Amino acid sequence: MRLVRWTPDDLVRRLDDVVAVYGEAMGYRPELLESRRGYIATHVRRPGFRAVASLTTEGHLAGFGYGYLGVPGQWWHDQVSRALDPTRRDIWLTRCFEVVELHVRPPAQGHGLGAGQLRALLTMAEGSTTLLSTPEADEERSRAWRLYRRFGFVDVLRNFHFPGDERPFGVLGRPLPLPPPAPAGPTTSAGPAVSGPHPS
């Protein structure tokens, strides 16, 4: 498995694969994926766009992630902006890199791909903060929530409802830049001692 940086054109060339991974990871019906195809194709032209992909040795897409700088007039940015008071809006939304999508195919989950993708994405990101939204879940049982907490994401909004979606979401954020990973400690007979974020 290799992690690569994608240009906007790289992502567009693999758009069918991207939409397929998105659908598998989110459990969406095929008819709902067509609208996402259009959104993703327009996202690649937004300011500060960054993308990464996890590819198998055969070149198959196992996961991907992307984001960009949020600005007024973008739907997600404006929904979150309206829910924050002016002080918190200034803290979180001034030069904010939005993690828009971060997905791994279900059979490939649990092997650190999501953590690798997130670290690479945030290392490349412009901005002074980063935000993302994720469906509310049991933080102890959800791989996504455990991953975000390991990366230092804190609550910005909880049980937030986006128009058109019945599910409650958490909006999470952290400052940028992302610090380098802590070095591994000495190994013991029990195996390597690791500090910092653990692979998902």
Side-chain angles (χ1 to χ4, degrees):
M1 196 73 67
R2 59 195 174 98
L3 181 65
V4 299
R5 178 175 179 173
W6 264 359
T7 67
D9 289 341
D10 291 331
L11 192 149
V12 170
R13 275 194 296 270
R14 299 291 298 266
L15 190 55
D16 288 346
D17 295 333
V18 165
V19 172
V21 170
Y22 175 85
E24 285 183 40
M26 297 295 286
Y28 284 162
R29 299 189 306 274
E31 59 269 23
L32 296 178
L33 297 180
E34 283 309 305
S35 62
R36 295 305 306 173
R37 178 187 302 273
Y39 292 134
I40 292 170
T42 62
H43 288 168
V44 301
R45 304 303 172 197
R46 291 192 169 172
F49 179 85
R50 300 288 186 271
V52 296
S54 295
L55 303 174
T56 68
T57 53
E58 296 82 17
H60 300 302
L61 185 65
F64 73 96
Y66 73 82
Y68 46 72
L69 290 173
V71 297
Q74 296 171 355
W75 184 84
W76 190 93
H77 177 280
D78 290 350
Q79 297 299 321
V80 174
S81 179
R82 283 195 285 268
L84 296 175
D85 62 59
T87 299
R88 298 179 77 225
R89 189 179 303 135
D90 287 343
I91 291 170
W92 289 110
L93 292 179
T94 302
R95 295 281 297 163
C96 174
F97 180 82
E98 296 174 10
V99 178
V100 181
E101 305 292 354
L102 186 74
H103 302 291
V104 175
R105 286 188 189 273
Q109 292 175 4
H111 302 287
L113 297 187
Q117 290 175 174
L118 183 59
R119 178 166 292 283
L121 201 57
L122 296 184
T123 300
M124 298 187 300
E126 298 178 29
S128 57
T129 61
T130 181
L131 288 176
L132 58 82
S133 57
T134 189
E136 291 282 0
D138 182 335
E139 293 192 27
E140 296 300 316
R141 300 179 62 186
S142 166
R143 276 197 180 115
W145 276 87
R146 294 198 308 268
L147 172 65
Y148 301 142
R149 293 305 195 200
R150 289 198 303 270
F151 272 76
F153 280 82
V154 299
D155 295 345
V156 177
L157 295 168
R158 293 299 300 266
N159 292 297
F160 181 72
H161 285 82
F162 290 98
D165 198 322
E166 296 179 353
R167 298 171 299 170
F169 282 79
V171 176
L172 308 178
R174 61 153 293 132
L176 290 176
L178 191 69
T187 58
T188 67
S189 59
V194 180
S195 58
H198 300 289
S200 64

